[in-house]
Amino acid sequence: LQRIGLQKGLFSSPAAALDSTERRMAHLLGKSPPTADELAEVQGLQEFADTLQVLVQDRTASSFSKYQRLLQQLRAADFGWQLSDASDRLVIFSERIETLRWLREQLSADLRLKPKQIEVLDGQLADTEQQDLVERFGRLDDPVRVLLCSDVASEGLNLHYFCHRLVHFDLPWSLMVFQQRNGRVDRYGQKRQPQIVYLFTEAMNDK
């Protein structure tokens, strides 16, 4: 189960994988005393963390191909997203909070977004803060253009008033979650054809 958790983090982003790896090392080293097997695991995890750190600290994110594909999609003429158009907003979903935080920092730089133009909606916000952010996203006069969401936003929220574009930055393991996420913009009252994009990792190794 621990290995699967690390794999899910890696499929999300290097930042999410690094967070999971550091938490696992802290847990193992917090035991008194760690066993030989646990110390061997920590050594392997540290090598993994060192590799991830290089990717996370790359300010251009040039080696993170999924993120580069996201940028390519957002800038593509056939996608047609207009950052300057207040009625053309964007929702991006990820399972991992560390991924959302990393995306906020990276997209802010690459798209030259102002602080209030990109927001994160996750379970660490109080219910009132979540509702306030949803209401802001539904007001034409609010500057927010991009809403980065964890799956706390996948049920029951109306995000469709000025948004018909949704990107799954990482893919949930449940098909039901796909439907729930998509339903935030593909719902009654939507005036435009929803555009939904799925970013998936394709392995070069068949196994």
Side-chain angles (χ1 to χ4, degrees):
L1 288 176
Q2 180 60 37
R3 178 173 58 84
I4 291 172
L6 285 173
Q7 287 175 335
K8 289 188 72 174
L10 187 60
F11 291 150
S12 181
S13 73
L18 180 60
D19 179 66
S20 296
T21 302
E22 290 176 341
R23 289 174 183 271
R24 176 63 175 171
M25 288 192 293
H27 172 71
L28 293 173
L29 293 174
K31 296 186 175 183
S32 181
T35 66
D37 285 344
E38 288 169 342
L39 290 174
E41 183 179 346
V42 168
Q43 181 179 356
L45 289 171
Q46 186 60 60
E47 294 176 8
F48 186 44
D50 291 343
T51 302
L52 291 168
Q53 194 71 248
V54 173
L55 299 176
V56 172
Q57 293 177 348
D58 176 11
R59 293 303 176 187
T60 65
S62 57
S63 55
F64 188 7
S65 59
K66 183 169 68 170
Y67 175 72
Q68 296 302 325
R69 183 65 184 84
L70 172 65
L71 278 183
Q72 180 184 343
Q73 179 70 45
L74 298 185
R75 292 167 172 165
D78 58 350
F79 189 58
W81 179 51
Q82 299 295 323
L83 174 59
S84 60
D85 184 353
S87 65
D88 191 1
R89 299 180 179 184
L90 176 69
V91 171
I92 300 176
F93 270 99
S94 170
E95 284 190 318
R96 306 298 291 263
I97 292 176
E98 286 302 318
T99 298
L100 296 174
R101 291 173 176 167
W102 183 89
L103 283 171
R104 180 176 187 170
E105 180 179 347
Q106 199 67 39
L107 286 172
S108 294
D110 290 333
L111 299 179
R112 299 180 180 178
L113 296 169
K114 297 177 182 178
K116 290 187 177 181
Q117 288 186 308
I118 183 167
E119 298 286 0
V120 175
L121 176 58
D122 62 48
Q124 294 185 346
L125 297 175
D127 290 347
T128 53
E129 293 175 309
Q130 293 180 27
Q131 189 59 43
D132 179 65
L133 191 50
V134 171
E135 290 177 0
R136 284 182 53 202
F137 197 66
R139 292 202 308 263
L140 191 61
D141 61 347
D142 195 276
V144 65
R145 295 292 180 272
V146 180
L147 191 61
L148 305 171
C149 298
S150 73
D151 283 326
V152 73
S154 66
E155 293 186 65
L157 299 186
N158 295 319
L159 303 178
H160 65 290
Y161 295 116
F162 302 106
C163 177
H164 67 288
R165 306 183 199 275
L166 186 148
V167 177
H168 298 270
F169 188 75
D170 50 34
L171 305 186
W173 288 22
S174 166
L175 294 177
M176 182 61 69
V177 176
F178 277 124
Q179 297 291 344
Q180 291 169 340
R181 288 180 177 183
N182 293 348
R184 298 316 95 221
V185 300
D186 187 6
R187 61 196 297 106
Y188 291 115
Q190 175 61 264
K191 297 178 180 179
R192 306 173 73 175
Q193 176 65 39
Q195 281 188 285
I196 297 173
V197 175
Y198 304 86
L199 298 177
F200 64 91
T201 301
E202 185 175 6
M204 296 177 66
N205 185 333
D206 290 338
K207 294 182 179 181

